[in-house]
Amino acid sequence: MLQNIGIPGLILILVIALIIFGPSKLPEIGRAFGSTLKEFKKATNDLVNGDNKENDKTEENSKIQAVERPTSKTGS
């Protein structure tokens, strides 16, 4: 979606934002957008890393269970 926006499109968007919000509000809007993007990236990384941690814990538990259960058979 945003891949087709070139430099002229970005300039047009910035000019329209400047007209609508004024020069005093643009830095505030930029900071809010930046913090929102940072929070979104952090949440995304937490979700991805959380899934990896759960998979690691599952693998560790299966290794522990395999070690706890002896596989050798004793003759009767």
Side-chain angles (χ1 to χ4, degrees):
M1 182 172 124
L2 293 176
Q3 297 170 352
N4 296 333
I5 296 177
I7 299 296
L10 289 175
I11 292 172
L12 180 65
I13 290 171
L14 289 174
V15 169
I16 291 172
L18 184 62
I19 291 170
I20 292 174
F21 297 111
S24 62
K25 286 280 188 177
L26 282 183
E28 183 180 328
I29 292 170
R31 276 191 294 273
F33 180 73
S35 64
T36 302
L37 188 61
K38 182 180 176 182
E39 208 171 304
F40 177 75
K41 284 183 178 181
K42 182 182 175 197
T44 304
N45 287 336
D46 287 345
L47 285 174
V48 170
N49 291 336
D51 289 343
N52 289 340
K53 287 179 184 177
E54 286 179 14
N55 289 339
D56 291 343
K57 286 181 182 178
T58 304
E59 288 176 8
E60 287 177 13
N61 287 339
S62 63
K63 287 179 184 177
I64 291 171
Q65 289 174 356
V67 170
E68 288 177 352
R69 294 184 204 148
T71 55
S72 63
K73 297 182 180 179
T74 57
S76 314

